[in-house]
Amino acid sequence: MIDQQVLDAAEGYVREYFASDASGHDAHHTLRVMRLARRLAGDEGADEAVVCLAALLHDVDDAKLSPNTAEGLDNACDFLREHGVGETDAQAVLTAIREVSFSKNGGKAPSSVESACVRDADRLDAIGAIGVARAFAYGGSHDRSLHDPDGTDAQTTTAHFHDKLLLLKDMMCTRAGRRIAERRDAVTREFLREFLAEWDGAR
Ligand code: ADP
Ligand code: NI
């Protein structure tokens, strides 16, 4: 059993951990993923505390932010040990964190319903209005162009929509995730349609 005190401590930990990050992996991303994952957990009958704790800790060992701890999930492990989380719950949390990654687990189904909730929530935060905003924030911070009508520059932000964001709807693992993804995907596509029409001077 994971009590509320541990979840509150995890929230405090991530707020501090991400305090200086502006790359799209900030504390607010983590907190949105936690709220959405909790909603999915309610729908799926998953263990909400495991889902919330995994969501809160899902990026603290991200390879881009913390390359030295990514392999062993050292930061998450330390947190779980320091807060006395029992072995079974700790393993469930670590499994869910390992199974979140888009690049590492693209093809594989999550091994638990808790994993599925966290993975769907993380992916859902990359689409819809928030996802569009995050993509352009990422593009800006990496000096990328908004768009290249010739398609010569494969590194533009609109290219990322086709490479990744528009594929996410069909990669949901929970029922509620699929429903939410339908709406967010429609918002993403509508944005792209407007963007391209404005680009061409048609609107
Ligand atoms: P994940 O949480 O799956 O590891 P990433 O670290 O790949 O996600 O990306 C974090 C955010 O930055 C996401 O919203 C993603 O869409 C956005 N992003 C990643 N790569 C690009 C890119 N090449 N262009 C625009 N946005 C990107
Ligand atoms: Ni994430």
Side-chain angles (χ1 to χ4, degrees):
M1 191 54 196
I2 296 166
D3 59 33
Q4 186 59 42
Q5 236 175 337
V6 175
L7 297 177
D8 292 343
E11 184 169 330
Y13 171 60
V14 299
R15 280 184 189 277
E16 205 167 302
Y17 181 93
F18 291 110
S20 59
D21 191 275
S23 70
H25 272 108
D26 56 11
H28 291 296
H29 160 66
T30 286
L31 296 173
R32 286 192 304 271
V33 171
M34 190 269 285
R35 290 190 290 270
L36 197 51
R38 186 172 56 201
R39 184 173 152 203
L40 299 180
D43 238 69
E44 293 289 313
D47 184 322
E48 285 194 28
V50 165
V51 166
C52 286
L53 193 50
L56 285 167
L57 298 176
H58 86 273
D59 269 342
V60 301
D61 292 296
D62 185 279
K64 279 161 264 161
L65 303 174
S66 185
N68 298 329
T69 72
E71 182 64 31
L73 301 184
D74 302 349
N75 292 329
C77 286
D78 288 350
F79 179 93
L80 295 168
R81 197 181 47 252
E82 281 161 22
H83 291 81
V85 174
E87 189 54 26
T88 310
D89 283 333
Q91 284 311 322
V93 167
L94 293 170
T95 297
I97 295 172
R98 266 195 207 94
E99 293 182 353
V100 164
S101 161
F102 178 85
S103 41
K104 280 190 256 158
N105 294 288
K108 262 193 277 154
S111 64
S112 69
V113 66
E114 286 75 22
S115 273
C117 293
V118 182
R119 186 196 282 197
D120 279 5
D122 190 45
R123 289 177 173 179
L124 284 166
D125 203 52
I127 56 175
I130 294 272
V132 169
R134 286 182 78 208
F136 284 99
Y138 180 103
S141 78
H142 288 75
D143 266 340
R144 304 203 167 186
S145 305
L146 301 180
H147 177 60
D148 174 21
D150 305 327
T152 325
D153 181 358
Q155 305 289 314
T156 65
T157 300
T158 52
H160 182 66
F161 280 66
H162 296 283
D163 294 344
K164 176 170 170 183
L165 305 187
L166 297 177
L167 312 179
L168 294 176
K169 171 176 74 69
D170 295 325
M171 297 170 67
M172 292 292 120
C173 306
T174 65
R175 234 168 341 151
R178 267 189 290 279
R179 206 179 54 237
I180 298 168
E182 291 284 343
R183 182 187 167 98
R184 293 192 183 200
D185 182 73
V187 169
T188 311
R189 285 171 196 275
E190 176 65 12
F191 168 83
L192 211 45
R193 256 194 309 277
E194 285 292 321
F195 180 100
L196 296 175
E198 290 182 15
W199 190 279
D200 290 337
R203 275 210 264 282

